[in-house]
């Protein structure tokens, strides 16, 4: 199914000078373009009234279903400006499929994938002038809400699908860098049979208390354990997670209760194509801590041997000579690196970006807005695959 979009140019678009000023430092999710795509659904008409128009507020009755029963889903993807001034979208077909899966799980009217892709492409075309250069990109937020006016627990009969756009810089200020992680032992994000694999606002709302706890303890992100045994690593509040081992192999938690990240899927495909072994299997917090404990023991022995060698020359150990990163040969740690911190109930364990059992790379994420899980690859981490070219 496809729909013809009616194009209604904004009557008062942002002046060029004002737009240029906003694009100098757009931040993330604070600046918006002039237009939005809009499609409506009713049981009588199906999907209809597809158009691009000026970005504007939605008039909502206080009894609109989404406000009471949270039938709402969304996606996040980016458009990148190429060196030849063309534009790339990163795998929008995958976002369209996941959006349809989310709708079915939330008992919402599934949006045909071609309509999703057409809405995204049309918005990029009309607001192309908002694409920032350099490391910036145009963040696209497709979403759907239940718009029927009623009070009662049942699926809505009416829906609004819309796409808005926001020029963005890097989600993490200063670009990709290590993040510190708080292990949540009091809160879980999802359970088997729930909505953990769905991109709906309720999942993110449920993670905010745990994320606030992480920030209170000086950490950037929270990592959730499974809801049954409270020991299996699932995902971070804002991204999927991969563990990197000595032999170069990767491990990531299996799907089921976590979001099927598009960047996650891309990393797995690219690593397998390069000959890297990737395992999708459960990994416990005890394994993570045990690996770190073994690594710390190796480093302690290394330091003692180094101290014995140094004392004959300097008479004492100079701590300024100690590497901040992992020792050569451990997880490819031939260069210095800043440290991650993983804490559980206030007990910190240091994890080096290159010397640890796990590398957390913000650019390899699905997101941000508040979820970097949406953000796709940071401009400096784009893989060699694109979805569509505009």
């Amino acid at each position: 199914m496809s729909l013809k979009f009616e194009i209604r140019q904004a009557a008062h678009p942002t002046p060029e000078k004002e737009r240029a000023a906003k694009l100098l430092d757009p931040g993330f999710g604070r600046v918006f373009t002039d237009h939005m795509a809009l499609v409506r659904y009713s049981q009588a008409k199906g999907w209809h009234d597809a158009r691009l128009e000026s970005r504007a507020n939605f008039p909502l009755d206080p009894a609109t279903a989404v406000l009471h029963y949270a039938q709402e889903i969304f996606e996040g993807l980016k458009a990148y400006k190429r060196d030849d001034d063309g534009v790339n979208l990163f795998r929008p077909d995958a976002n369209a499929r996941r959006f349809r899966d989310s709708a079915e799980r939330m008992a919402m009217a599934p949006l045909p994938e071609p309509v999703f892709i057409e809405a995204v492409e049309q918005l990029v075309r009309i607001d192309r002038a908002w694409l920032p250069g350099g490391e910036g990109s145009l963040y696209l937020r497709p979403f759907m809400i239940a718009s029927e006016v009623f009070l009662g627990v049942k699926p809505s009969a009416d829906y609004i699908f819309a796409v808005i756009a926001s020029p963005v810089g890097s989600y993490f200020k200063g670009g990709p860098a290590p993040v510190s992680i708080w292990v949540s032992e009091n809160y879980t994000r999802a359970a088997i049979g729930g909505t953990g694999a769905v991109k709906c606002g309720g999942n993110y709302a449920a993670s905010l208390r745990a994320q606030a706890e992480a920030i209170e303890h000086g950490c950037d992100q929270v990592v959730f354990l499974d809801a049954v045994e409270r020991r299996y690593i699932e995902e971070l509040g804002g991204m999927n997670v991969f563990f990197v081992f000595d032999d170069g192999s990767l491990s990531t938690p299996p799907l089921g209760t976590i979001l099927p990240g598009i960047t996650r899927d891309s990393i797995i495909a690219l690593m397998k194509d390069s000959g890297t072994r990737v395992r999708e299997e459960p990994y416990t917090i005890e394994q993570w801590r045990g690996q770190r404990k073994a690594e710390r023991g190796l480093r302690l022995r290394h330091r003692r041997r180094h101290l014995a060698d140094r004392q004959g020359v300097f008479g004492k150990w100079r701590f300024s000579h100690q590497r901040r990163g992992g020792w050569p040969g451990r997880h490819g740690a031939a260069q210095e690196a800043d440290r991650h911190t993983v804490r559980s109930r206030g007990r910190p364990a240091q994890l080096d970006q290159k010397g640890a059992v796990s590398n957390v790379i913000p650019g390899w994420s699905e997101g941000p807005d508040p979820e970097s899980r949406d953000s796709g690859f940071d401009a400096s981490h784009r893989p060699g695959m694109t979805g569509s070219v505009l």
Side-chain angles (χ1 to χ4, degrees):
M1 175 185 176
S2 62
L3 295 174
K4 182 176 177 57
F5 280 77
E6 179 186 354
I7 309 298
R8 301 177 183 176
Q9 292 278 353
H12 303 286
T14 304
E16 183 178 353
K17 188 175 181 179
E18 181 181 342
R19 183 178 65 240
K22 290 182 176 181
L23 290 178
L24 288 176
D25 184 19
F28 198 99
R30 299 289 184 179
V31 177
F32 297 94
T33 66
D34 293 313
H35 298 86
M36 64 181 181
L38 197 67
V39 189
R40 294 184 179 275
Y41 175 89
S42 67
Q43 288 184 337
K45 296 182 178 180
W47 289 103
H48 64 284
D49 194 17
R51 61 185 188 270
L52 264 77
E53 62 184 26
S54 295
R55 182 178 175 276
N57 296 336
F58 286 166
L60 292 178
D61 187 284
T64 301
V66 67
L67 301 178
H68 302 271
Y69 307 107
Q71 268 193 300
E72 174 271 347
I73 57 174
F74 65 95
E75 275 296 329
L77 66 159
K78 287 181 176 179
Y80 300 95
K81 182 183 288 185
R82 300 198 309 266
D83 291 340
D84 63 0
D85 287 331
V87 179
N88 281 3
L89 289 169
F90 182 69
R91 301 186 65 187
D93 55 325
N95 291 94
R97 285 193 298 273
R98 190 170 66 181
F99 194 76
R100 184 181 182 90
D101 292 342
S102 293
E104 290 177 347
R105 175 62 183 85
M106 300 296 286
M108 303 173 77
L111 181 75
E113 293 170 27
V115 176
F116 179 102
I117 295 173
E118 181 68 13
V120 168
E121 291 184 349
Q122 289 281 7
L123 184 58
V124 173
R125 287 190 181 99
I126 198 169
D127 281 337
R128 186 189 184 106
W130 284 92
L131 267 162
E135 297 297 305
S137 56
L138 189 63
Y139 182 79
L140 301 158
R141 170 50 63 86
F143 64 96
M144 188 198 304
I145 63 172
S147 56
E148 184 181 0
V149 177
F150 76 98
L151 296 178
V153 183
K154 73 174 187 66
S156 176
D158 304 315
Y159 298 95
I160 296 173
F161 167 72
V163 188
I164 57 176
S166 173
V168 298
S170 175
Y171 180 68
F172 292 90
K173 293 182 179 179
V179 293
S180 54
I181 301 169
W182 174 263
V183 179
S184 177
E185 295 184 337
N186 299 318
Y187 303 99
T188 60
R189 179 182 174 276
I192 296 172
T195 59
V198 176
K199 203 162 181 64
C200 62
N203 287 343
Y204 293 91
S207 73
L208 296 180
R209 178 58 256 176
Q211 179 64 36
E213 185 180 72
I215 293 172
E216 289 167 5
H217 288 85
C219 294
D220 301 309
Q221 280 279 321
V222 60
V223 62
F224 290 99
L225 305 179
D226 74 287
V228 179
E229 297 187 43
R230 303 291 185 94
R231 58 192 297 260
Y232 292 102
I233 303 296
E234 293 217 319
E235 63 182 341
L236 274 65
M239 62 191 78
N240 295 121
V241 62
F242 284 80
F243 297 90
V244 183
F245 296 89
D246 283 336
D247 60 3
S249 66
L250 275 67
S251 174
T252 189
L255 298 178
T257 56
I258 67 175
L259 189 74
I262 294 164
T263 308
R264 174 189 181 277
D265 178 70
S266 302
I267 292 172
I268 292 172
L270 290 170
M271 292 299 99
K272 287 183 176 180
D273 285 348
S274 70
T276 300
R277 183 185 175 198
V278 182
R279 301 181 300 279
E280 297 180 69
E281 62 184 16
Y283 192 76
T284 67
I285 187 65
E286 292 87 1
Q287 287 176 289
W288 196 351
R289 288 171 176 155
Q291 187 74 26
R292 174 55 192 157
K293 184 177 180 181
E295 182 179 294
R296 290 179 67 185
L298 178 68
R299 291 184 184 175
L300 180 59
R301 291 193 296 274
H302 190 117
R303 288 178 186 142
R304 285 172 176 168
R305 288 197 301 270
H306 198 66
L307 174 59
D309 294 339
R310 283 298 216 180
Q311 282 179 332
V313 179
F314 297 104
K316 65 178 181 179
W317 168 248
R318 294 186 180 182
F319 287 97
S320 60
H321 291 171
Q322 178 184 345
R323 283 184 181 272
R324 293 183 63 205
W327 298 104
R330 294 295 295 171
H331 306 276
Q335 55 184 301
E336 295 185 357
D338 290 330
R339 291 176 180 260
H340 297 287
T341 300
V342 174
R343 295 188 176 95
S344 176
R345 289 184 178 171
R347 297 188 295 274
Q350 296 294 330
L351 295 179
D352 295 331
Q353 183 185 13
K354 293 293 185 180
V357 71
S358 165
N359 288 347
V360 181
I361 305 174
W364 285 11
S365 61
E366 283 291 326
D369 26 63
E371 58 287 354
S372 56
R373 188 183 295 111
D374 280 343
S375 66
F377 279 88
D378 185 84
S380 61
H381 290 91
R382 289 178 221 164
M385 57 174 75
T386 56
S388 58
V389 180
L390 304 181

PDB file of all heavy atoms in Angstrom, residues 225-239:
ATOM      1  N   LEU A 225      19.410  -5.722  34.745  1.00  0.00           N
ATOM      2  CA  LEU A 225      19.487  -7.178  34.820  1.00  0.00           C
ATOM      3  C   LEU A 225      18.114  -7.759  34.508  1.00  0.00           C
ATOM      4  O   LEU A 225      17.109  -7.047  34.506  1.00  0.00           O
ATOM      5  CB  LEU A 225      19.941  -7.604  36.210  1.00  0.00           C
ATOM      6  CG  LEU A 225      21.261  -6.992  36.704  1.00  0.00           C
ATOM      7  CD1 LEU A 225      21.574  -7.486  38.115  1.00  0.00           C
ATOM      8  CD2 LEU A 225      22.405  -7.305  35.751  1.00  0.00           C
ATOM      9  N   ASP A 226      18.056  -9.065  34.249  1.00  0.00           N
ATOM     10  CA  ASP A 226      16.775  -9.692  33.905  1.00  0.00           C
ATOM     11  C   ASP A 226      15.827  -9.630  35.096  1.00  0.00           C
ATOM     12  O   ASP A 226      16.246  -9.527  36.257  1.00  0.00           O
ATOM     13  CB  ASP A 226      17.001 -11.137  33.465  1.00  0.00           C
ATOM     14  CG  ASP A 226      17.338 -12.049  34.636  1.00  0.00           C
ATOM     15  OD1 ASP A 226      18.485 -11.942  35.166  1.00  0.00           O
ATOM     16  OD2 ASP A 226      16.483 -12.854  35.044  1.00  0.00           O
ATOM     17  N   ALA A 227      14.530  -9.706  34.810  1.00  0.00           N
ATOM     18  CA  ALA A 227      13.514  -9.525  35.848  1.00  0.00           C
ATOM     19  C   ALA A 227      13.263 -10.784  36.663  1.00  0.00           C
ATOM     20  O   ALA A 227      12.661 -10.706  37.733  1.00  0.00           O
ATOM     21  CB  ALA A 227      12.206  -9.067  35.204  1.00  0.00           C
ATOM     22  N   VAL A 228      13.722 -11.954  36.204  1.00  0.00           N
ATOM     23  CA  VAL A 228      13.429 -13.213  36.893  1.00  0.00           C
ATOM     24  C   VAL A 228      14.516 -13.555  37.914  1.00  0.00           C
ATOM     25  O   VAL A 228      14.249 -13.698  39.107  1.00  0.00           O
ATOM     26  CB  VAL A 228      13.265 -14.357  35.874  1.00  0.00           C
ATOM     27  CG1 VAL A 228      12.986 -15.675  36.607  1.00  0.00           C
ATOM     28  CG2 VAL A 228      12.138 -14.048  34.896  1.00  0.00           C
ATOM     29  N   GLU A 229      15.748 -13.692  37.450  1.00  0.00           N
ATOM     30  CA  GLU A 229      16.835 -14.096  38.340  1.00  0.00           C
ATOM     31  C   GLU A 229      17.696 -12.930  38.807  1.00  0.00           C
ATOM     32  O   GLU A 229      18.544 -13.097  39.692  1.00  0.00           O
ATOM     33  CB  GLU A 229      17.714 -15.146  37.645  1.00  0.00           C
ATOM     34  CG  GLU A 229      16.977 -16.433  37.314  1.00  0.00           C
ATOM     35  CD  GLU A 229      17.909 -17.511  36.785  1.00  0.00           C
ATOM     36  OE1 GLU A 229      19.006 -17.654  37.358  1.00  0.00           O
ATOM     37  OE2 GLU A 229      17.549 -18.190  35.808  1.00  0.00           O
ATOM     38  N   ARG A 230      17.533 -11.777  38.200  1.00  0.00           N
ATOM     39  CA  ARG A 230      18.310 -10.579  38.544  1.00  0.00           C
ATOM     40  C   ARG A 230      19.820 -10.820  38.439  1.00  0.00           C
ATOM     41  O   ARG A 230      20.588 -10.370  39.285  1.00  0.00           O
ATOM     42  CB  ARG A 230      17.957 -10.106  39.962  1.00  0.00           C
ATOM     43  CG  ARG A 230      16.486  -9.808  40.205  1.00  0.00           C
ATOM     44  CD  ARG A 230      16.035  -8.568  39.451  1.00  0.00           C
ATOM     45  NE  ARG A 230      14.656  -8.200  39.755  1.00  0.00           N
ATOM     46  CZ  ARG A 230      14.305  -7.327  40.693  1.00  0.00           C
ATOM     47  NH1 ARG A 230      15.241  -6.729  41.403  1.00  0.00           N
ATOM     48  NH2 ARG A 230      13.039  -7.041  40.910  1.00  0.00           N
ATOM     49  N   ARG A 231      20.241 -11.499  37.387  1.00  0.00           N
ATOM     50  CA  ARG A 231      21.681 -11.745  37.239  1.00  0.00           C
ATOM     51  C   ARG A 231      22.162 -11.661  35.797  1.00  0.00           C
ATOM     52  O   ARG A 231      23.349 -11.503  35.543  1.00  0.00           O
ATOM     53  CB  ARG A 231      22.066 -13.099  37.837  1.00  0.00           C
ATOM     54  CG  ARG A 231      21.344 -14.307  37.261  1.00  0.00           C
ATOM     55  CD  ARG A 231      21.572 -15.542  38.115  1.00  0.00           C
ATOM     56  NE  ARG A 231      22.975 -15.935  38.149  1.00  0.00           N
ATOM     57  CZ  ARG A 231      23.497 -16.915  37.405  1.00  0.00           C
ATOM     58  NH1 ARG A 231      22.725 -17.587  36.561  1.00  0.00           N
ATOM     59  NH2 ARG A 231      24.765 -17.222  37.506  1.00  0.00           N
ATOM     60  N   TYR A 232      21.260 -11.772  34.831  1.00  0.00           N
ATOM     61  CA  TYR A 232      21.663 -11.726  33.427  1.00  0.00           C
ATOM     62  C   TYR A 232      21.627 -10.290  32.890  1.00  0.00           C
ATOM     63  O   TYR A 232      20.638  -9.580  33.066  1.00  0.00           O
ATOM     64  CB  TYR A 232      20.761 -12.620  32.570  1.00  0.00           C
ATOM     65  CG  TYR A 232      20.943 -14.091  32.878  1.00  0.00           C
ATOM     66  CD1 TYR A 232      20.016 -14.771  33.669  1.00  0.00           C
ATOM     67  CD2 TYR A 232      22.052 -14.782  32.394  1.00  0.00           C
ATOM     68  CE1 TYR A 232      20.188 -16.118  33.974  1.00  0.00           C
ATOM     69  CE2 TYR A 232      22.228 -16.128  32.693  1.00  0.00           C
ATOM     70  CZ  TYR A 232      21.298 -16.792  33.481  1.00  0.00           C
ATOM     71  OH  TYR A 232      21.478 -18.109  33.780  1.00  0.00           O
ATOM     72  N   ILE A 233      22.719  -9.880  32.247  1.00  0.00           N
ATOM     73  CA  ILE A 233      22.784  -8.544  31.651  1.00  0.00           C
ATOM     74  C   ILE A 233      21.775  -8.464  30.510  1.00  0.00           C
ATOM     75  O   ILE A 233      21.695  -9.371  29.673  1.00  0.00           O
ATOM     76  CB  ILE A 233      24.203  -8.266  31.095  1.00  0.00           C
ATOM     77  CG1 ILE A 233      25.257  -8.427  32.196  1.00  0.00           C
ATOM     78  CG2 ILE A 233      24.265  -6.874  30.476  1.00  0.00           C
ATOM     79  CD1 ILE A 233      25.146  -7.453  33.323  1.00  0.00           C
ATOM     80  N   GLU A 234      21.006  -7.388  30.465  1.00  0.00           N
ATOM     81  CA  GLU A 234      20.043  -7.213  29.377  1.00  0.00           C
ATOM     82  C   GLU A 234      20.453  -6.059  28.459  1.00  0.00           C
ATOM     83  O   GLU A 234      20.873  -6.273  27.344  1.00  0.00           O
ATOM     84  CB  GLU A 234      18.635  -7.012  29.928  1.00  0.00           C
ATOM     85  CG  GLU A 234      18.099  -8.260  30.626  1.00  0.00           C
ATOM     86  CD  GLU A 234      16.626  -8.479  30.398  1.00  0.00           C
ATOM     87  OE1 GLU A 234      15.867  -7.493  30.422  1.00  0.00           O
ATOM     88  OE2 GLU A 234      16.239  -9.644  30.182  1.00  0.00           O
ATOM     89  N   GLU A 235      20.320  -4.832  28.911  1.00  0.00           N
ATOM     90  CA  GLU A 235      20.720  -3.694  28.097  1.00  0.00           C
ATOM     91  C   GLU A 235      20.853  -2.467  28.985  1.00  0.00           C
ATOM     92  O   GLU A 235      20.471  -2.476  30.150  1.00  0.00           O
ATOM     93  CB  GLU A 235      19.734  -3.431  26.968  1.00  0.00           C
ATOM     94  CG  GLU A 235      18.336  -3.061  27.421  1.00  0.00           C
ATOM     95  CD  GLU A 235      17.386  -2.847  26.248  1.00  0.00           C
ATOM     96  OE1 GLU A 235      17.848  -2.639  25.130  1.00  0.00           O
ATOM     97  OE2 GLU A 235      16.168  -2.873  26.485  1.00  0.00           O
ATOM     98  N   LEU A 236      21.423  -1.421  28.417  1.00  0.00           N
ATOM     99  CA  LEU A 236      21.551  -0.168  29.142  1.00  0.00           C
ATOM    100  C   LEU A 236      20.277   0.649  28.974  1.00  0.00           C
ATOM    101  O   LEU A 236      19.444   0.346  28.122  1.00  0.00           O
ATOM    102  CB  LEU A 236      22.759   0.619  28.641  1.00  0.00           C
ATOM    103  CG  LEU A 236      24.120   0.276  29.279  1.00  0.00           C
ATOM    104  CD1 LEU A 236      24.535  -1.141  28.955  1.00  0.00           C
ATOM    105  CD2 LEU A 236      25.180   1.253  28.820  1.00  0.00           C
ATOM    106  N   GLY A 237      20.150   1.694  29.757  1.00  0.00           N
ATOM    107  CA  GLY A 237      18.972   2.540  29.641  1.00  0.00           C
ATOM    108  C   GLY A 237      18.863   3.204  28.291  1.00  0.00           C
ATOM    109  O   GLY A 237      17.772   3.538  27.838  1.00  0.00           O
ATOM    110  N   GLY A 238      19.998   3.412  27.630  1.00  0.00           N
ATOM    111  CA  GLY A 238      19.979   4.125  26.359  1.00  0.00           C
ATOM    112  C   GLY A 238      20.628   3.399  25.205  1.00  0.00           C
ATOM    113  O   GLY A 238      20.814   3.998  24.151  1.00  0.00           O
ATOM    114  N   MET A 239      20.991   2.127  25.365  1.00  0.00           N
ATOM    115  CA  MET A 239      21.681   1.448  24.264  1.00  0.00           C
ATOM    116  C   MET A 239      21.791  -0.046  24.534  1.00  0.00           C
ATOM    117  O   MET A 239      21.690  -0.498  25.668  1.00  0.00           O
ATOM    118  CB  MET A 239      23.082   2.037  24.061  1.00  0.00           C
ATOM    119  CG  MET A 239      24.007   1.889  25.252  1.00  0.00           C
ATOM    120  SD  MET A 239      25.522   2.865  25.122  1.00  0.00           S
ATOM    121  CE  MET A 239      24.904   4.500  25.539  1.00  0.00           C
TER     122      MET A 239
END
